[in-house]
Amino acid sequence: MKIINDPVHGFITIPNELIYQIIQHPYFQRLRRISQTGLTETVYPGAKHSRFLHALGCMHLMQKALSTLKKKDVEITIEEENAALIAILLHDLGHGPFSHSLEHSIIKNSNHEEISLRLMEELNIFFNGQLTLAIEIFKGNYSKKFLTQLVSSQLDCDRMDYLKRDSFYSGVVEGSINPERIISMMNVADNELVIEAKGIPSVEKFLMARMFMYTQVYMHKKSFTAENFLISVLRRAKELTKQGEKLFASSAFNYFLQENKEGISTKNGLEIFTYLDDSDVLSAIKEWQFHDDFILSKLSKNIIQRNLPKSHLLEEKLTESEFLKERERVKNEYSINDASYFVEQTTIKVVPYDKNKNPIKILFKNGSVKEISSSGKSILTQFLQKEIIKIHYHSI
């Protein structure tokens, strides 16, 4: 057994040789070089933690959750426990550079969950079928639904770790939660994960923390602008590559800059994806600062030098005429044909709690189970179902 010292959870134990070998595999080690929060560090300098740390933290919380459930006489076999640990450990394996920022930019028509699944299937071949049950749990096909809910739901080990971790590294204390308290209240009823009634305040605190983290960190106007510029610089690089420009890029990054129809559909393309991380993108952008193309150069400099334009979170969108007028101003001022790289407004939506999507259920002492917002004992949950909508706007 190996022990890792995590600043957030303390000592994390790697329980067996198989999980240790999975962690040692290059697919998983790549997560050391993938940032957990994209370019959030442009606003919160401490937020430089990796997907690697997050995945280990999720596994640690899964260990605690399974231990709690077993103490409450929930039947979980050794094979199921091991599979659940592997499923949560590998749930983010398919994240590309800068996590969510470039998810749909580098690879079109695919998301990190789909890529995670394909990489898990490749690992399953490598480890001679020992990940088969973990994959079934990850896909939601296994008979014990609560195991999948611990991996992916509105109150899963993933969210509990990233809220506590992102809060810790950003320094935003409003996002801090107590996963141990929530886990201690977990139980199983009718094959589903439930929370015992006395845990309602802890769950509502968790939902509030998620809301605060979105409004103060994940939707912060300045880091959102930086990430939009990151998307724009990649779009411009792809356009120039399509026109025949040979841009500075690593071989893996260059593969995805090309209009490659295969993408990751082939085993070779998927393997090339696993060579790609933050350093590929960052080293290219550092070099692109000095490119002759004004748009590519300007975007790259703004990111590297953190010279970001003023940005605003609006309650209502600019009118079409106002928006076009600003784009026309930028086109004329910088003598460019396309100002969409620099002037943009985006609608951001988030719901802290959606009772229609994998609802959080409460178990009462009389054995009845109710959705949390209809339990009669919830104070805040009904307010946390309201959709938060912000219009993000920036212009150089």
Side-chain angles (χ1 to χ4, degrees):
M1 295 206 319
K2 302 284 184 180
I3 293 175
I4 294 170
N5 194 351
D6 175 29
V8 174
H9 299 304
F11 291 114
I12 294 174
T13 303
I14 300 173
N16 57 57
E17 181 64 21
L18 174 60
I19 289 179
Y20 176 72
Q21 291 301 328
I22 290 171
I23 290 171
Q24 288 295 97
H25 193 279
Y27 286 2
F28 192 82
Q29 288 293 315
R30 181 184 72 96
L31 297 181
R32 290 180 182 272
R33 304 183 300 278
I34 303 289
S35 61
Q36 169 75 9
T37 52
L39 288 174
T40 298
E41 64 167 288
T42 56
V43 177
Y44 299 101
K48 294 176 72 69
H49 50 302
S50 67
R51 288 274 161 191
F52 181 86
L53 262 177
H54 166 61
L56 291 175
C58 290
M59 183 191 71
H60 173 73
L61 294 181
M62 179 66 84
Q63 286 174 308
K64 286 183 171 291
L66 295 174
S67 176
T68 295
L69 294 178
K70 287 197 293 184
K71 286 175 184 176
K72 295 178 181 180
D73 298 324
V74 176
E75 187 180 338
I76 302 170
T77 67
I78 293 173
E79 291 77 18
E80 289 168 340
E81 181 174 358
N82 207 39
L85 291 174
I86 293 171
I88 193 66
L89 184 70
L90 301 179
H91 77 285
D92 274 349
L93 200 61
H95 268 292
F98 294 99
S99 298
H100 293 286
S101 307
L102 297 181
E103 182 165 339
H104 299 291
S105 302
I106 287 180
I107 301 169
K108 293 180 180 178
N109 305 317
S110 189
N111 56 46
H112 73 271
E113 290 93 351
E114 294 169 3
I115 303 171
S116 293
L117 179 58
R118 287 190 58 197
L119 292 175
M120 287 171 73
E121 289 168 344
E122 290 295 322
L123 286 176
N124 197 29
I125 296 170
F126 183 85
F127 288 104
N128 301 312
Q130 294 183 82
L131 276 63
T132 300
L133 183 53
I135 291 171
E136 290 302 296
I137 291 171
F138 181 81
K139 289 163 66 176
N141 292 342
Y142 192 57
S143 57
K144 293 185 179 180
K145 184 179 177 181
F146 66 89
L147 292 175
T148 296
Q149 289 175 315
L150 285 170
V151 175
S152 179
S153 65
Q154 291 198 80
L155 192 61
D156 55 29
C157 295
D158 175 29
R159 292 188 182 191
M160 283 191 286
D161 181 82
Y162 79 61
L163 285 176
K164 188 172 179 67
R165 190 170 302 279
D166 296 352
S167 167
F168 176 85
Y169 281 102
S170 66
V172 177
V173 295
E174 291 86 353
S176 184
I177 62 166
N178 185 354
E180 287 78 11
R181 172 62 178 167
I182 295 171
I183 288 171
S184 72
M185 293 292 104
M186 285 181 173
N187 211 325
V188 173
D190 298 326
N191 201 32
E192 289 193 306
L193 190 68
V194 295
I195 300 294
E196 293 162 3
K198 56 187 177 181
I200 289 176
S202 298
V203 174
E204 292 191 317
K205 169 68 168 63
F206 163 86
L207 294 172
M208 282 185 65
R210 186 166 181 265
M211 178 186 70
F212 282 127
M213 286 299 287
Y214 267 93
T215 55
Q216 291 186 242
V217 180
Y218 308 135
M219 290 164 56
H220 192 285
K221 60 183 183 180
K222 194 61 84 173
S223 63
F224 201 80
T225 298
E227 291 184 1
N228 275 347
F229 270 33
L230 188 59
I231 293 167
S232 292
V233 80
L234 185 59
R235 175 161 70 97
R236 186 59 176 176
K238 281 186 170 184
E239 286 179 359
L240 292 175
T241 302
K242 191 176 181 180
Q243 293 169 16
E245 283 273 354
K246 290 188 177 180
L247 298 177
F248 175 90
S250 67
S251 58
F253 194 21
N254 189 58
Y255 176 85
F256 291 103
L257 288 179
Q258 307 285 335
E259 281 295 321
N260 194 315
K261 291 183 180 179
E262 289 184 346
I264 59 162
S265 61
T266 64
K267 187 171 181 177
N268 179 57
L270 186 67
E271 190 69 21
I272 292 172
F273 174 82
T274 66
Y275 303 149
L276 198 61
D277 57 50
D278 289 8
S279 62
D280 295 83
V281 177
L282 200 57
S283 61
I285 291 174
K286 282 172 64 181
E287 191 68 24
W288 294 346
Q289 293 179 92
F290 313 108
H291 197 273
D292 292 338
D293 181 76
F294 173 81
I295 294 174
L296 185 69
S297 172
K298 178 72 172 172
L299 287 167
S300 299
K301 282 178 182 174
N302 283 13
I303 293 169
I304 296 298
Q305 300 174 12
R306 198 196 177 277
N307 184 21
L308 300 170
K310 283 188 177 181
S311 52
H312 308 274
L313 286 177
L314 310 173
E315 296 299 325
E316 294 182 2
K317 277 189 172 185
L318 294 180
T319 64
E320 187 71 14
S321 61
E322 289 174 325
F323 187 62
L324 292 176
K325 183 179 179 181
E326 182 60 19
R327 279 196 169 177
E328 195 63 30
R329 180 192 69 79
V330 171
K331 281 172 65 176
N332 293 333
E333 184 172 335
Y334 293 98
S335 302
I336 55 177
N337 295 323
D338 188 355
S340 66
Y341 294 99
F342 302 109
V343 183
E344 189 174 353
Q345 60 178 347
T346 311
T347 302
I348 314 168
K349 297 180 181 180
V350 64
V351 182
Y353 173 66
D354 183 355
K355 70 176 183 179
N356 299 313
K357 184 180 179 182
N358 219 325
I360 297 171
K361 294 185 178 179
I362 304 299
L363 174 65
F364 292 88
K365 284 187 176 180
N366 63 5
S368 65
V369 175
K370 293 182 180 179
E371 184 271 321
I372 186 169
S373 65
S374 62
S375 68
K377 290 194 174 183
S378 64
I379 302 171
L380 301 168
T381 312
Q382 56 183 316
F383 301 106
L384 295 169
Q385 295 178 66
K386 187 177 179 182
E387 187 176 55
I388 300 169
I389 301 175
K390 293 290 183 184
I391 311 298
H392 175 265
Y393 168 76
H394 68 257
S395 174
I396 59 172

